[in-house]
Amino acid sequence: MPSEAYDPILSATLAERQRIANDLHDGVASRLMMLLASLPPHGHANRQIAHGLQECLLELQMTVDGLSAECMSLGEMLGNLRYRFEPAFRRSGIAFQWQVSDVPSAARDDDCRTNHELCKIVQEALANALRHSGARHVHVRLARDDADGMLALEVRDDGRGLPGPGRHEPGAARPKAGGLRNMRARAEAIGAGISIANLSPRGLRVSVTLPLEREPADAEASLASHR
């Protein structure tokens, strides 16, 4: 069976996706960046407009990233998220801490989907922290525990958290329930556990845990030991 790399229909589809991504980046995204840069920083109305333009630009950039690559490693996808969100947090005066290292290598045929869903969860959590939380600090952490065979991914902020007893702040925007449901559905689709909980005295933590697949060499060694 011919490789997908030589499938003319697939090649044409990927080329068209890349063309659309380039057009969006060079046209709409560049225009939004020019408008954002030219907007005077003073005045409540200007700040509101700048905030709206920033959100539109971020959404467009993430869409372009998704169109540009058919399959990327988890490290590459998380790197893209950091690259896109860091300037937005900086413009909003939010300290952004990134603690991501020792990213596991691909070991499964469905890693592309797993990586995509994990990063979509992180994207949603970061977007909520940026838009709704009123946070001053946001922290992203990824760690692997080889002893327990688990990968842990966490997004934590010191904002207002989810509504609940003693957490009401009049006029404060909060994450939409649909976004929280989407994060849970994405985690369930890849067999990951997820916890979305308020922190004390303030803040929200989104934690995702996913079983790590054994590397091929480890699997072979385990098989040999049982022969």
Side-chain angles (χ1 to χ4, degrees):
M1 186 173 67
S3 169
E4 288 185 353
Y6 300 100
D7 185 335
I9 297 178
L10 177 59
S11 297
T13 299
L14 295 178
E16 179 64 10
R17 284 174 55 145
Q18 187 61 54
R19 184 193 66 78
I20 294 171
N22 291 341
D23 287 348
L24 288 173
H25 178 271
D26 297 338
V28 182
S30 296
R31 182 60 177 163
L32 285 173
M33 292 179 69
M34 290 173 57
L35 289 172
L36 188 59
S38 64
L39 195 66
H42 307 294
H44 177 72
N46 284 345
R47 286 195 294 271
Q48 291 294 102
I49 294 171
H51 185 71
L53 288 173
Q54 177 180 281
E55 287 193 359
C56 290
L57 178 59
L58 185 58
E59 289 286 349
L60 183 60
Q61 288 171 331
M62 298 307 301
T63 300
V64 168
D65 288 344
L67 286 170
S68 298
E70 184 68 13
C71 182
M72 300 170 66
S73 71
L74 180 58
E76 290 171 328
M77 287 186 171
L78 289 173
N80 268 354
L81 284 178
R82 181 182 186 181
Y83 177 73
R84 295 306 186 188
F85 273 93
E86 204 160 29
F89 281 117
R90 186 168 56 248
R91 285 193 293 264
S92 298
I94 300 173
F96 188 39
Q97 185 178 0
W98 188 267
Q99 187 181 353
V100 173
S101 60
D102 196 21
V103 181
S105 59
R108 303 184 305 189
D109 292 337
D110 61 346
D111 266 341
C112 287
R113 184 192 179 194
T114 298
N115 295 345
H116 175 81
E117 299 295 356
L118 283 174
C119 287
K120 281 295 184 181
I121 293 171
V122 176
Q123 180 181 337
E124 183 71 32
L126 291 176
N128 285 339
L130 179 65
R131 297 167 183 167
H132 307 296
S133 72
R136 305 314 302 166
H137 300 84
V138 175
H139 181 204
V140 177
R141 184 180 69 90
L142 181 140
R144 57 184 294 167
D145 186 337
D146 291 314
D148 291 338
M150 299 296 290
L151 180 72
L153 188 56
E154 177 183 281
V155 180
R156 184 175 73 249
D157 67 63
D158 61 355
R160 61 180 58 93
L162 299 175
R167 304 298 290 253
H168 179 62
E169 297 183 30
R174 298 186 176 92
K176 295 181 180 178
L180 302 180
R181 285 196 300 269
N182 287 343
M183 285 193 283
R184 291 190 175 98
R186 290 183 184 280
E188 182 179 352
I190 57 174
I194 185 168
S195 170
I196 304 172
N198 285 331
L199 298 173
S200 180
R202 282 173 60 88
L204 184 72
R205 179 174 59 211
V206 177
S207 300
V208 181
T209 54
L210 182 72
L212 282 168
E213 287 291 316
R214 291 177 301 179
E215 300 295 337
D218 294 337
E220 289 175 7
S222 176
L223 181 61
S225 67
H226 287 83
R227 285 176 179 167

